[in-house]
Amino acid sequence: MISRDDCARRDGEDALAPLRDQFMLPEGVIYVDGNSLGALPRATPARVAAAVRQEWGDGLIRSWNDAGWITLPQRVGDRIGALVGARPGECVAADSTSVNLYKVLSAASRIVRADSPSRRVIVSERQNFPTDLYIAEGLCRDLGWSLELLEPAAIVARLSQGRGADVAVVMLTQVNYRTGALHDMAAMTALAHAAGALAVWDLAHSAGALPVDLNGAGADFAIGCGYKFLNGGPGAPAFVWAHPRHAGRFWQPLSGWMGHAAPFTFRPGYEPADGIGRFLCGTPAVLSLTALDCGVDTLHAADALGGMVALREKSVALTETFIALVDERCAALGFAVASPRDARMRGSQVSLTHAANSASTDGRSHGYAIVQALIERGVIGDFRAGAPADAHGPALPDILRFGFTPLYLRFVDVYDAVERLVRLMETGEYREARFNKRSAVT
Amino acid sequence: MISRDDCARRDGEDALAPLRDQFMLPEGVIYVDGNSLGALPRATPARVAAAVRQEWGDGLIRSWNDAGWITLPQRVGDRIGALVGARPGECVAADSTSVNLYKVLSAASRIVRADSPSRRVIVSERQNFPTDLYIAEGLCRDLGWSLELLEPAAIVARLSQGRGADVAVVMLTQVNYRTGALHDMAAMTALAHAAGALAVWDLAHSAGALPVDLNGAGADFAIGCGYKFLNGGPGAPAFVWAHPRHAGRFWQPLSGWMGHAAPFTFRPGYEPADGIGRFLCGTPAVLSLTALDCGVDTLHAADALGGMVALREKSVALTETFIALVDERCAALGFAVASPRDARMRGSQVSLTHAANSASTDGRSHGYAIVQALIERGVIGDFRAGAPADAHGPALPDILRFGFTPLYLRFVDVYDAVERLVRLMETGEYREARFNKRSAVT
């Protein structure tokens, strides 16, 4: 049995423990939802305030140069790129994940239409985050392509033994937002390439959560989210990466002035910037990029302590501890681990199912009530509703999601979270949880 | 001759004068560049700080509901909509101007392809802001359409007497970013409709600068900028409007989850939200939208004082005063007014040319040096380089731009700006102005 003292001892031995001081966490809260919205870095309020008061208020229009606003997408992009295996100049921070996915899928589709026009299928995962599927669906509609949604094992089969000859793009999120299941980027990219397809990766739940090596994997395009493990703040700008072998080949259709080779000559006639610059579109969102920059700082603070490798090691230790505690103390309460038990196949989150879900008499799952009651008791995770079986696969269970950000979570937090969950279930208190209408942005 | 006392007297009689207190303007600066980046509202620092510290820091993920983050695009959109003749529910704030233009041009193209597929030309103005032209150019390339760039008078001819039968969309910026020339939105929309084309309007330099009546004009789609006359901060989110007759008809290709009818059911299969909601794409940029909300407040503060009509009246009085002073005092110094002299055909800016430009011996225009020297002396306007003649029209002169935001500019500011310009020219001081490399985001 794991004791709280065991956890306190591990915290005492944790070389990354001081990184927690970088964040402003509310007193008494155990925040296991950093996979949805990262916590506030301590440096952010002052940096944003300076951007507002001094740079905007005093500098006014002059700050586009004097404060370096105009190069923020490249500067922040490079620092994110360093976390995901991109070289300097390969990554920019801009727009939203959805918009960036549209850019890279459009770019990928141009390459495929030029090189192998008979390929007209985008393959993705049925449980991929819906906005990715919606964007791909829209593009397929316009191109006359189709979007094929498969379970992970079926994707491998779809790309093997010559069955992938019609596949244009394999579009995957590296870490599944529901289950936390982690794809092997290098292997899946190699499989896509062997089938003649391009590999587009969404790093929403992996950038800042685990080591990613885009160049090492030979990926084609990638996008990712700024407000989860990068701690960039609500609705932070996203990022976009293109492998240099593709970056300069086609321009993407959101050909706004910031992607122009010389935006300040104000000439009609679009001339795309070299490389990743052409994946920019409109005017940089300075205040949001400033906050994102502070978020990215919190990860680079680990550079001298082993960087993403050390963070991943702690993340795995945290999720292993959580799983062990759930097995020990929560199995009898109806909980089961819905995430892969092999840490090599798991991101920085653990999802649980609760067996009583189906016994609910009021049409609501107990999972929802449990998560609400936990939040009221200071353990902030989240709930993702299941779905009935459909054309793409079997029914999906309701999920209780717990994200483990190694930058600010302690082993005692993991212990206390489970402790509060156990107490809640043993007392039946969760049945009184308020059913606030609640939607959370993953 | 207009004296400084005349100007001071007008300020004393100006019912809108107290609105200036809403802004934090640097001591000694006369800011005539609010058409490029609006000044900082006094309320913004505290509101943004609260969004960072309390909403994000303390509320964490809960603030999507508890702080109303999730409805920010609609709430801010409605308040912008009220300034431009949109009814509640017709306008949302999101993404950049360029991205929103892509959305509405895509939507417009779907309507045209369904209703009159032989129309395959987008007509625009040669001096339209380049990002608009780049976005249209990209879309035309993908659709096999063409983009035709004309001078304003030629646009009227192009749409008249049956010559517009191939025109799909007329895409115009209501106020020209270089000259400040103002299109008659109702007349031009009627002309486009009479020719069977749709009218798409960019309100970048008109929203918050003058009364706009999108519904009254019967426009089809509109977009606009949050960081100019709306004072939303550097790179603030933009806005997008669709006439209700079109809003629900097609979905636009940036079909991200925030445009879904039920984003939090997390189901594959895009079902667009009713109406303007489907013009949303990714997760709302909360910090930027909060700042934009404060900016929009500064305009609604005029509601009880006559609103946009009163603001426009003051704006016209400011630009008339500037033109009169330039005529009186600067004509002999080589300056000429490049903006329409008829206020009904002019936005809230006045552009000047300087005759000595062509006499420059070092390859740089004097206009650039003059603007730099003016900025060093606290009068912040900006410079837009001219362009040689090209296939679309004759050479364009270098321009010195002066934007007049009625919310915070006084008549004495106009006087003092001209006074400093005159002194600069008479002493020749501008010749010593530093030639900082400078690019300004319009």
Side-chain angles (χ1 to χ4, degrees), chain B residues 237-329:
Chain B
F239 63 91
V240 52
W241 171 86
H243 194 285
R245 70 178 170 266
H246 301 308
R249 202 162 156 211
F250 290 95
W251 91 57
Q252 49 85 22
L254 294 171
S255 48
W257 69 318
M258 286 296 146
H260 193 280
F264 298 105
T265 56
F266 298 101
R267 302 282 169 80
Y270 185 69
E271 294 161 31
D274 282 341
I276 196 67
R278 68 184 59 183
F279 283 79
L280 294 175
C281 181
T283 305
V286 170
L287 303 185
S288 297
L289 281 165
T290 300
L292 174 57
D293 201 22
C294 296
V296 175
D297 279 348
T298 64
L299 289 147
H300 282 295
D303 286 350
L305 300 167
M308 286 309 310
V309 171
L311 287 167
R312 168 66 172 164
E313 208 171 294
K314 179 172 174 187
S315 155
V316 168
L318 290 167
T319 55
E320 294 280 89
T321 302
F322 182 74
I323 289 171
L325 285 163
V326 167
D327 285 345
E328 284 174 9
R329 307 185 59 192

Side-chain angles (χ1 to χ4, degrees), chain A residues 310-336:
Chain A
L311 286 168
R312 170 65 173 166
E313 207 172 294
K314 179 173 175 188
S315 156
V316 167
L318 289 168
T319 55
E320 293 280 88
T321 302
F322 182 73
I323 289 172
L325 284 164
V326 167
D327 285 345
E328 285 173 10
R329 307 185 60 195
C330 305
L333 299 169
F335 292 101

Side-chain angles (χ1 to χ4, degrees), chain B residues 61-317:
Chain B
I61 193 72
R62 297 169 290 200
S63 290
W64 282 109
N65 289 305
D66 296 352
W69 287 350
I70 200 67
T71 56
L72 269 170
Q74 287 85 357
R75 288 186 287 125
V76 178
D78 275 349
R79 302 185 64 248
I80 295 171
L83 301 171
V84 296
R87 288 173 290 245
E90 290 181 1
C91 186
V92 286
D95 297 320
S96 67
T97 308
S98 302
V99 167
N100 287 336
L101 183 60
Y102 186 77
K103 296 175 188 168
V104 300
L105 279 184
S106 297
S109 76
R110 282 154 206 245
I111 292 167
V112 172
R113 282 180 290 163
D115 294 350
S116 31
S118 63
R119 295 176 178 272
R120 299 159 72 88
V121 177
I122 297 178
V123 167
S124 192
E125 197 177 339
R126 179 210 184 192
Q127 288 192 51
N128 199 345
F129 190 68
T131 204
D132 293 33
L133 303 181
Y134 302 156
I135 292 286
E137 180 186 346
L139 197 76
C140 283
R141 215 166 90 132
D142 279 350
L143 294 174
W145 285 15
S146 61
L147 174 63
E148 227 175 276
L149 302 184
L150 302 169
E151 298 291 341
I155 294 175
V156 173
R158 181 69 171 81
L159 297 172
S160 305
Q161 297 173 330
R163 285 191 294 272
D166 57 343
V167 177
V169 175
V170 179
M171 175 190 83
L172 294 171
T173 300
Q174 192 183 8
V175 175
N176 184 282
Y177 82 105
R178 279 178 53 89
T179 64
L182 168 65
H183 283 291
D184 181 333
M185 180 187 284
M188 193 61 98
T189 299
L191 196 62
H193 288 176
L198 297 176
V200 171
W201 290 96
D202 179 346
L203 308 180
H205 292 263
S206 41
L210 45 94
V212 177
D213 188 1
L214 288 169
N215 274 294
D220 296 291
F221 295 95
I223 51 127
C225 178
Y227 57 77
K228 299 176 186 297
F229 290 98
L230 297 181
N231 307 311
F239 63 91
V240 52
W241 171 86
H243 194 285
R245 70 178 170 266
H246 301 308
R249 202 162 156 211
F250 290 95
W251 91 57
Q252 49 85 22
L254 294 171
S255 48
W257 69 318
M258 286 296 146
H260 193 280
F264 298 105
T265 56
F266 298 101
R267 302 282 169 80
Y270 185 69
E271 294 161 31
D274 282 341
I276 196 67
R278 68 184 59 183
F279 283 79
L280 294 175
C281 181
T283 305
V286 170
L287 303 185
S288 297
L289 281 165
T290 300
L292 174 57
D293 201 22
C294 296
V296 175
D297 279 348
T298 64
L299 289 147
H300 282 295
D303 286 350
L305 300 167
M308 286 309 310
V309 171
L311 287 167
R312 168 66 172 164
E313 208 171 294
K314 179 172 174 187
S315 155
V316 168

Side-chain angles (χ1 to χ4, degrees), chain A residues 24-26 29 31 33 36-41 44-45 48-49 51-53 56-62 64-66 69-70 95-99 102-103 106 110 113 126 129-131 133-139 141-142 149 177 227 231-236 250-251 253-258 260 262-271 281-288 291 375 378 380-388 390 392 436-442, chain B residues 24-26 29 31 33 36-41 44-45 48-49 51-53 56-62 64-66 69-70 95-99 102-103 106 110 113 126 129-131 133-139 141-142 149 177 227 231-236 250-251 253-258 260 262-271 281-288 291 375 378 380-388 390 392 436-442:
Chain A
M24 305 180 88
L25 292 157
V29 163
Y31 193 57
D33 215 1
S36 186
L37 172 66
L40 171 63
T44 305
V48 170
V52 171
R53 290 292 298 268
W56 175 14
D58 295 338
L60 290 160
I61 193 71
R62 297 169 289 199
W64 283 110
N65 289 306
D66 296 351
W69 288 349
I70 200 67
D95 297 320
S96 67
T97 307
S98 302
V99 168
Y102 186 78
K103 295 174 188 169
S106 297
R110 282 154 206 245
R113 282 180 289 162
R126 179 210 183 193
F129 189 68
T131 206
L133 303 181
Y134 303 155
I135 292 286
E137 180 186 346
L139 198 77
R141 215 167 89 132
D142 280 350
L149 302 184
Y177 82 105
Y227 57 77
N231 307 310
F250 289 96
W251 90 59
L254 294 171
S255 48
W257 68 318
M258 287 297 146
H260 193 279
F264 298 104
T265 55
F266 299 101
R267 300 282 169 81
Y270 184 69
E271 294 161 30
C281 182
T283 305
V286 170
L287 304 185
S288 296
I375 291 171
I380 304 182
D382 63 31
F383 171 77
R384 287 291 173 265
D390 64 18
H392 307 296
N436 291 329
K437 183 166 163 29
R438 181 164 180 279
S439 54
V441 173
T442 71
Chain B
M24 304 180 87
L25 293 157
V29 163
Y31 192 57
D33 214 1
S36 186
L37 172 66
L40 171 63
T44 305
V48 170
V52 171
R53 290 291 298 267
W56 174 14
D58 295 339
L60 292 160
I61 193 72
R62 297 169 290 200
W64 282 109
N65 289 305
D66 296 352
W69 287 350
I70 200 67
D95 297 320
S96 67
T97 308
S98 302
V99 167
Y102 186 77
K103 296 175 188 168
S106 297
R110 282 154 206 245
R113 282 180 290 163
R126 179 210 184 192
F129 190 68
T131 204
L133 303 181
Y134 302 156
I135 292 286
E137 180 186 346
L139 197 76
R141 215 166 90 132
D142 279 350
L149 302 184
Y177 82 105
Y227 57 77
N231 307 311
F250 290 95
W251 91 57
L254 294 171
S255 48
W257 69 318
M258 286 296 146
H260 193 280
F264 298 105
T265 56
F266 298 101
R267 302 282 169 80
Y270 185 69
E271 294 161 31
C281 181
T283 305
V286 170
L287 303 185
S288 297
I375 290 172
I380 304 182
D382 62 31
F383 172 77
R384 288 290 172 266
D390 63 19
H392 307 294
N436 291 329
K437 183 166 164 28
R438 180 165 182 277
S439 55
V441 174
T442 71

Side-chain angles (χ1 to χ4, degrees), chain A residues 99-232:
Chain A
V99 168
N100 286 337
L101 182 60
Y102 186 78
K103 295 174 188 169
V104 300
L105 279 183
S106 297
S109 76
R110 282 154 206 245
I111 292 167
V112 172
R113 282 180 289 162
D115 294 351
S116 31
S118 64
R119 296 177 178 271
R120 300 160 71 88
V121 177
I122 297 178
V123 167
S124 192
E125 197 178 339
R126 179 210 183 193
Q127 288 192 54
N128 199 344
F129 189 68
T131 206
D132 293 34
L133 303 181
Y134 303 155
I135 292 286
E137 180 186 346
L139 198 77
C140 283
R141 215 167 89 132
D142 280 350
L143 294 174
W145 285 16
S146 61
L147 173 63
E148 227 176 277
L149 302 184
L150 301 170
E151 297 292 341
I155 294 175
V156 173
R158 180 71 171 81
L159 297 173
S160 304
Q161 297 173 330
R163 285 191 295 270
D166 59 341
V167 178
V169 174
V170 179
M171 175 190 83
L172 293 171
T173 300
Q174 192 184 10
V175 175
N176 184 281
Y177 82 105
R178 280 178 53 88
T179 64
L182 168 65
H183 283 291
D184 181 333
M185 181 186 284
M188 192 62 95
T189 299
L191 196 62
H193 288 176
L198 297 177
V200 171
W201 290 97
D202 179 346
L203 307 180
H205 291 264
S206 42
L210 45 93
V212 176
D213 188 0
L214 288 168
N215 275 294
D220 296 290
F221 295 95
I223 52 127
C225 178
Y227 57 77
K228 298 178 186 296
F229 290 98
L230 297 182
N231 307 310

